[in-house]
């Protein structure tokens, strides 16, 4: 069994506060789990520097570990290397699409409509449902959608 497999599994049960369909491990927020079970060291990278969920990630992880009997652990937040959308697996990107959220693309160049797959889209607002998302409409199917902004 992978070291800390149990902890990875536990943290994988924590839904992202903003996009509950995906969890903190899928999102790439949980970077490293080190140390002994009696003294865990967890490293996280927030998805977005201005993201209000940043403190929430800490709280959610703390709560999850405490619920499961872990008492001694530290949670370190690091911005280096910066979170990148490359950390999202294809499966996670698909989950975002299923939620009607266009998954992030490096450089925010081509934004695909999660409803019909068209790249003929336009931004309506820099902020979507949450500050980490922007709001768009699709010129092909006219449906509105959120786009998960890049770091
Ligand atoms: Zn569309």
């Amino acid at each position: 069994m992978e070291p800390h497999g149990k902890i990875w599994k536990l943290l994988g049960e924590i839904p992202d506060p903003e996009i509950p369909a995906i969890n903190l491990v899928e999102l790439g927020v949980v970077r490293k789990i080190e140390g002994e079970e009696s003294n865990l060291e967890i490293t996280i990278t927030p998805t977005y520097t201005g993201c209000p969920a940043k403190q929430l990630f800490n709280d959610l992880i703390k709560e999850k570990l405490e619920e499961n009997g872990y008492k001694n652990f530290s949670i370190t937040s690091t911005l280096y290397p910066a979170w990148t959308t490359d950390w999202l697996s294809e499966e996670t990107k698909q989950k975002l699409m299923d939620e009607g959220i266009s998954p992030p693309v490096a450089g925010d160049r081509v934004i695909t409509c999660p409803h019909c797959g068209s790249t003929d889209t336009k931004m309506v607002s820099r902020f979507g449902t949450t500050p980490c998302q922007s709001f768009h409409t699709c010129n092909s199917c006219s449906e509105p959608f959120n786009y998960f902004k890049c770091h």
Side-chain angles (χ1 to χ4, degrees):
M1 191 172 147
E2 190 205 331
H4 303 121
K6 216 163 64 183
I7 314 292
W8 280 107
K9 194 165 167 289
L10 272 180
L11 301 186
E13 291 170 4
I14 307 174
D16 176 54
E18 301 197 334
I19 310 161
I22 62 178
N23 67 56
L24 296 192
V25 172
E26 289 173 318
L27 196 59
V29 164
V30 182
R31 296 316 302 161
K32 273 192 293 193
I33 300 174
E34 295 169 307
E36 302 294 319
E37 284 217 354
S38 56
N39 187 21
L40 290 166
E41 294 165 40
I42 294 159
T43 307
I44 65 167
T45 296
T47 45
Y48 179 66
T49 22
C51 188
K54 195 174 146 185
Q55 184 54 44
L56 253 181
F57 292 145
N58 268 296
D59 296 346
L60 290 169
I61 290 169
K62 189 167 176 280
E63 197 183 322
K64 189 64 165 184
L65 289 173
E66 283 173 354
E67 264 173 27
N68 286 277
Y70 296 94
K71 289 183 188 72
N72 294 308
F73 52 85
S74 63
I75 304 169
T76 309
S77 186
T78 176
L79 293 173
Y80 302 99
W83 183 80
T84 149
T85 51
D86 295 346
W87 293 352
L88 298 177
S89 66
E90 287 309 312
E91 195 190 345
T92 303
K93 288 179 181 168
Q94 186 55 50
K95 280 194 192 178
L96 285 170
M97 293 285 258
D98 294 345
E99 288 299 298
I101 298 167
S102 184
V105 186
D108 293 339
R109 283 182 305 262
V110 180
I111 297 176
T112 308
C113 169
H115 305 293
C116 71
S118 168
T119 52
D120 183 12
T121 60
K122 71 166 187 279
M123 192 198 291
V124 177
S125 164
R126 283 186 57 221
F127 297 102
T129 309
T130 75
C132 305
Q133 295 169 25
S134 52
F135 194 62
H136 301 252
T137 53
C138 175
N139 293 327
S140 296
C141 71
S142 313
E143 291 289 331
F145 65 92
N146 281 291
Y147 171 69
F148 193 135
K149 283 188 279 197
C150 285
H151 187 73

